[in-house]
Amino acid sequence: MRPMLAAGESLSFTLSQELTVIVLCALTALISHLALAVFNDGVRPFLLDFIRGGSTRGATAAVSFGLSAGFIFGLGAPMALSTGVLNPWLLFLPTDVLGLLAPRRWLAPLLGAGWGAIVVFALGGANSAAHELPVDFLTAMQEMSTPILFLFTLFPVLAIVRQFGRVHGAVAGVIELVLVVMTMKLWPKMFAGALAMAVGVLMLIGFAVAQDVRRRREERAAAATAPGTSAATPAAAETSGADDPMASLFSANALRLRRHLPLFMLLGAGVCLLAQMHVFGGGEATSFLIAKGDHSGAAQVDFYRVFGFVPLIATTALASGAYGIAGFTLVYPIGYLLPSPYLAVVCGALVFAAEVLALSAIGRALGRLPSVRDSSEHLRGAISDTIELAILFGSLMAANTMGGGLGILIVGGLYLLNEAMGRKVVRMAAAPAAVLVGGVLLNVLYWLDLFTPIKS
């Protein structure tokens, strides 16, 4: 297995990597066609209606495309071209759409394999051609790495502020800042935000668990003081749970997923194997870390993200009967760290098996821990906000690198125009897309002798 390409070099893959991408895209398209799993969290709730026959395949595919197109072309493609690392928006969002769109089961894996082939064979050519242009906007996009990596470190602080207030957030912010400075001073080879993020996430979970424990104690105390309720409460709760139609639906959907356990194990093996090859990053910050060869840092970042997505994926899977293509995303950090592709295949399969089998138990646990469940929502919102700001700031830095004030005018103007038009492109993808369009436009101006590229 060859070492990972550095950011900015040509995208090229070994035969084993090409085959892995193509086969995995075929598999994810087939699973999407069967409505067993999709990558886009926003599409998953629509699948219950499709599974029950209340929505057509074409209508569901149209929803998937509408929710995914901006991320594919505005985030997935620019991130892959600028880092030299593949990502889930580029690979799995298109196979969501292709799988749902395919009218026949046999056609879905063929369409998915075709997309995988386009990615591994055509992306490298586009990358090489872009680097030969007078205005090399792909190299300029590497300016995005610093704001993404460092601002991403703050997402636990934002989540703590939103859930537990300014005092808790201020304490967490000071602690994270101290840890970042300490890490940069004492362990310069380590990703500076790794320890700070770990402590921030642990603080958030600790606050949430403490709040849930305190609430349960208060409820028990109130129940104990209420006459005639303590003995009847457990039985009433059990009866209520047995008659709950949502509990029945969750149970049926969990059983549906368990019936396809071998297919999910194959999916987990494939995703973990791709992560182990170090040509794939599960997130924005992760892609840059993988590109720099910092696999342990990438594993830490993606591991912390898991806490924000387990409740969302578990509850939507139980409610819709469709799982996530990457599961709880635990296979990402595991794959980055494993030394052998064979171990990756085995571990990925076992992790997915454990996740699918544990869905019902996770759903029940989340029902008893409302503050922990709320924490995941605050984490996801904080991740989105920090990444949006980091990508916007990084995109303006890239615009300045490739075109100075004119570059900032074009890229910033396109971003603001998108905002004024009601966000035709989702905010997170709008800025990278503006850099690509701005880079093309600056090259056109150069060929018209109206612009002189800035010397690096």
Side-chain angles (χ1 to χ4, degrees):
M1 195 75 61
R2 67 161 174 83
M4 219 296 304
L5 292 168
E9 295 183 11
S10 292
L11 276 164
S12 62
F13 305 92
T14 64
L15 178 61
S16 62
Q17 292 163 352
E18 291 169 351
L19 291 176
T20 299
V21 172
I22 292 171
V23 171
L24 183 58
C25 285
L27 177 62
T28 54
L30 173 62
I31 290 175
S32 172
H33 175 85
L34 298 173
L36 289 173
V38 289
F39 181 77
N40 193 323
D41 295 322
V43 174
R44 203 170 300 119
F46 292 93
L47 290 184
L48 180 61
D49 196 36
F50 171 67
I51 293 168
R52 291 177 164 181
S55 177
T56 65
R57 182 171 294 279
T60 308
V63 169
S64 179
F65 179 79
L67 294 174
S68 302
F71 288 102
I72 296 170
F73 302 109
L75 186 61
M79 288 291 293
L81 288 169
S82 60
T83 62
V85 177
L86 300 176
N87 58 69
W89 307 287
L90 182 64
L91 293 183
F92 302 145
L93 288 180
T95 58
D96 281 358
V97 179
L98 294 172
L100 289 170
L101 188 63
R104 296 288 184 270
R105 180 179 298 187
W106 59 267
L107 183 58
L110 291 181
L111 292 175
W115 176 254
I118 290 172
V119 169
V120 295
F121 295 124
L123 204 63
N127 180 278
S128 299
H131 283 302
E132 296 298 323
L133 293 172
V135 180
D136 185 357
F137 52 87
L138 294 186
T139 299
M141 288 185 72
Q142 294 172 31
E143 295 286 343
M144 296 169 62
S145 64
T146 300
I148 287 177
L149 290 175
F150 279 87
L151 287 176
F152 187 76
T153 304
L154 292 174
F155 78 87
V157 177
L158 267 64
I160 290 172
V161 171
R162 290 171 177 175
Q163 187 171 8
F164 299 105
R166 289 173 290 182
V167 174
H168 290 78
V171 172
V174 170
I175 291 174
E176 282 211 4
L177 178 61
V178 170
L179 290 173
V180 168
V181 173
M182 185 177 71
T183 302
M184 295 176 72
K185 183 68 175 179
L186 299 179
W187 306 290
K189 294 184 179 180
M190 177 181 175
F191 169 48
L195 182 59
M197 277 190 289
V199 172
V201 170
L202 288 175
M203 289 178 67
L204 175 65
I205 295 173
F207 292 150
V209 171
Q211 188 174 73
D212 281 331
V213 170
R214 186 165 57 252
R215 181 183 290 119
R216 289 175 71 86
R217 285 176 179 170
E218 293 172 353
E219 290 173 352
R220 287 197 205 99
T225 57
T229 58
S230 57
T233 300
E238 183 177 347
T239 303
S240 175
D243 296 336
D244 185 1
M246 288 304 295
S248 177
L249 174 64
F250 281 15
S251 177
N253 286 335
L255 179 61
R256 176 178 187 263
L257 295 176
R258 288 197 295 269
R259 283 200 300 265
H260 295 88
L261 188 61
L263 197 57
F264 283 115
M265 292 177 69
L266 185 61
L267 175 62
V271 176
C272 194
L273 174 61
L274 184 62
Q276 193 277 334
M277 290 178 165
H278 300 152
V279 293
F280 174 88
E284 304 87 347
T286 313
S287 293
F288 285 106
L289 288 169
I290 291 290
K292 295 178 178 180
D294 186 359
H295 305 142
S296 62
Q300 288 176 298
V301 169
D302 271 352
F303 178 73
Y304 304 142
R305 289 171 66 107
V306 169
F307 294 101
F309 288 89
V310 166
L312 170 69
I313 294 169
T315 53
T316 55
L318 290 170
S320 67
Y323 199 41
I325 286 295
F328 294 149
T329 70
L330 273 172
V331 289
Y332 291 164
I334 291 172
Y336 302 148
L337 297 177
L338 288 175
S340 163
Y342 304 106
L343 277 176
V345 169
V346 174
C347 290
L350 292 177
V351 167
F352 256 53
E355 290 179 4
V356 172
L357 293 174
L359 273 175
S360 295
I362 293 172
R364 289 192 297 269
L366 291 172
R368 293 191 293 267
L369 297 170
S371 295
V372 174
R373 187 175 63 246
D374 292 344
S375 293
S376 74
E377 296 178 5
H378 289 296
L379 275 176
R380 290 197 309 276
I383 287 171
S384 295
D385 288 347
T386 53
I387 288 296
E388 282 180 4
L389 177 61
I391 288 177
L392 174 59
F393 187 51
S395 296
L396 291 175
M397 290 172 63
N400 183 64
T401 297
M402 69 184 184
L406 179 60
I408 292 175
L409 173 65
I410 294 173
V411 172
L414 289 172
Y415 180 88
L416 291 173
L417 181 62
N418 181 68
E419 290 286 305
M421 295 173 62
R423 295 180 194 160
K424 302 299 181 182
V425 180
V426 289
R427 179 178 282 172
M428 191 177 294
V435 175
L436 291 185
V437 174
V440 172
L441 182 56
L442 287 174
N443 278 288
V444 171
L445 293 175
Y446 167 80
W447 289 321
L448 295 174
D449 200 22
L450 297 174
F451 172 73
T452 301
I454 295 177
K455 301 296 182 182
S456 58

